Amino acid sequence: MRAVSISASRPYEVRIGSGLLSDLGAQLRGLFDAPRSVMVVSDDTVSALYGPAAERSLRDAGFCSERFVFPHGERSKTLSTYAALQQALLTAGFTRSDLIVALGGGVAGDLAGFAAATYQRGIPYVQVPTTLLSAVDSSVGGKTAVNLPGGKNQVGAFHQPVLVLCDPELLHSLPPQEYQNGCGELVKYAMLSGDPLYSALLSEPVSRLPEQVISACVEIKRDFVQSDEWDTGCRRLLNFGHTVGHAIESCSHYAVSHGQAVAIGMAVLTRAACHRGLCTPEALSDLERLLASYDLPTHTDFSAQAIARAALSDKKRRGDRLPLILPEAVGRCRVETIPARDFVSWLRDGGLS
């Protein structure tokens, strides 16, 4: 097992190793003096696959276990699902001494984390990611949120977990598209950090190196979170591709997955930056090479105007200014803040009509 310590406002560990799901109860008993009630939050797909094993492990360790199950997909990450989870916690008699386990991908983690941040003004929660995307990115760092009809992650809070357990065995059940979804975030981390991660992703399929790749990404994110937990400085670099990506997700009503949308977002902004002389042609070709190696898309049929309209609700916008993350080269990115009115021309320079 590998362990990465996160020194945030609430310090915790990210533990990575095969078999950690069956050890969930024992891992939690190591954190808490006495058994507590645990609400396992997962979607209907993940619950059927892994819910019984999680509950069995918890009960064997002396915890009282409940389960909240919601329909899978980004469309469930809403205020109504959040309210139903809050009511389930209240009906089950949960108090601030109890906890939530987010068992699933980014939707489960974001939803459960936001519920934990706000139920009775805050209770502990544990992340048990079951997708590559959540293992390498969304389960770490304490960002929690739900969507509004007009934008993604518009209602949320920073709330660090007390533990993250990444069991690579859970990734074996992922369909190819969901595995590819996680690779979009992997490419982001490779462009931010450079070698050795960049070269590793080109040399071997991620499926052969799950523990190493997850550990590498968590360590990179750890450094950003520890330097800028509240996302006002250098942590913004982790948004590379996300302003355009979130807009594509919204325009497609979430038919385009997060990882694919982020891949397109990275490609669009890098093409625009190259066109404007703000990054080297080599940076663009290096990005396109890595995206191609994982069959990730680089274009969208949505117009520049449609993407710009959707991006106006992006929570990263500050008044009439919009920060964009641009790669100057592999391993070196920076923030370029532009007038929001200029975003359409940036998108056109990036190849959108």
Side-chain angles (χ1 to χ4, degrees), residues 162-179:
V162 296
L163 179 67
V164 181
L165 295 180
C166 294
D167 185 344
E169 291 183 10
L170 307 186
L171 306 183
H172 296 330
S173 63
L174 293 177
Q177 183 178 10
E178 186 54 50
Y179 217 97

Side-chain angles (χ1 to χ4, degrees), residues 327-345:
E328 296 176 333
V330 173
R332 190 174 72 248
C333 297
R334 67 183 178 89
V335 180
E336 176 81 10
T337 301
I338 67 168
R341 65 177 179 275
D342 293 345
F343 192 42
V344 170
S345 64

Side-chain angles (χ1 to χ4, degrees), residues 26-328:
Q27 295 280 336
L28 295 189
R29 282 303 300 270
L31 292 179
F32 300 105
D33 294 334
R36 304 176 177 208
S37 293
V38 180
M39 181 69 77
V40 179
V41 178
S42 57
D43 67 34
D44 47 9
T45 301
V46 172
S47 182
L49 288 170
Y50 302 120
E55 289 197 324
R56 184 166 54 251
S57 179
L58 290 167
R59 288 172 178 165
D60 286 348
F63 292 93
C64 298
S65 179
E66 303 276 348
R67 210 186 311 183
F68 179 86
V69 181
F70 60 91
H72 64 276
E74 188 77 26
R75 291 184 181 91
S76 288
K77 204 172 83 172
T78 62
L79 284 170
S80 60
T81 310
Y82 160 80
L85 173 52
Q86 295 280 14
Q87 186 59 53
L89 292 166
L90 182 63
T91 301
F94 273 58
T95 69
R96 294 182 72 179
S97 65
D98 300 315
L99 68 145
I100 292 174
V101 169
L103 177 66
V107 173
D110 283 0
L111 173 66
F114 185 43
T118 50
Y119 181 72
Q120 297 189 351
R121 298 193 177 94
I123 64 173
Y125 78 112
V126 174
Q127 291 268 18
V128 184
T130 63
T131 66
L132 181 61
L133 190 152
S134 57
V136 302
D137 187 66
S138 62
S139 65
V140 179
K143 285 186 176 181
T144 73
V146 295
N147 304 333
L148 293 178
K152 183 169 177 173
N153 296 337
Q154 292 295 305
V155 183
F158 287 94
H159 190 53
Q160 299 292 346
V162 296
L163 179 67
V164 181
L165 295 180
C166 294
D167 185 344
E169 291 183 10
L170 307 186
L171 306 183
H172 296 330
S173 63
L174 293 177
Q177 183 178 10
E178 186 54 50
Y179 217 97
Q180 183 196 49
N181 193 28
C183 291
E185 289 286 352
L186 285 177
V187 171
K188 177 194 80 175
Y189 279 107
M191 292 298 294
L192 288 172
S193 65
D195 283 331
L197 181 59
Y198 181 88
S199 295
L201 293 182
L202 284 174
S203 62
E204 291 232 44
V206 173
S207 57
R208 294 183 187 173
L209 305 166
E211 286 194 31
Q212 296 93 316
V213 168
I214 292 170
S215 296
C217 291
V218 170
E219 288 170 356
I220 295 165
K221 188 161 191 179
R222 171 201 60 199
D223 294 342
F224 281 108
V225 171
Q226 290 180 169
S227 298
D228 179 27
E229 182 173 354
W230 313 114
D231 199 23
T232 59
C234 67
R235 186 175 176 176
R236 293 183 299 167
L237 293 173
L238 293 173
N239 292 320
F240 179 37
H242 284 60
T243 297
V244 174
H246 284 175
I248 291 171
E249 288 182 82
S250 180
C251 287
S252 73
H253 303 288
Y254 302 104
V256 178
S257 70
H258 177 73
Q260 291 180 324
V262 167
I264 297 168
M266 289 188 289
V268 167
L269 283 186
T270 305
R271 286 195 296 266
C274 188
H275 178 81
R276 291 169 179 249
L278 298 174
C279 82
T280 64
E282 290 77 18
L284 176 59
S285 62
D286 287 339
L287 171 64
E288 291 177 334
R289 180 185 178 199
L290 196 52
L291 292 171
S293 70
Y294 287 96
D295 295 321
L296 286 161
T298 59
H299 292 82
T300 179
D301 291 334
F302 293 112
S303 69
Q305 287 284 358
I307 296 298
R309 280 195 301 270
L312 287 178
S313 64
D314 193 290
K315 60 190 178 302
K316 294 178 283 297
R317 183 167 65 91
R318 298 291 184 269
D320 63 353
R321 308 289 291 178
L322 185 65
L324 304 178
I325 313 305
L326 307 177
E328 296 176 333

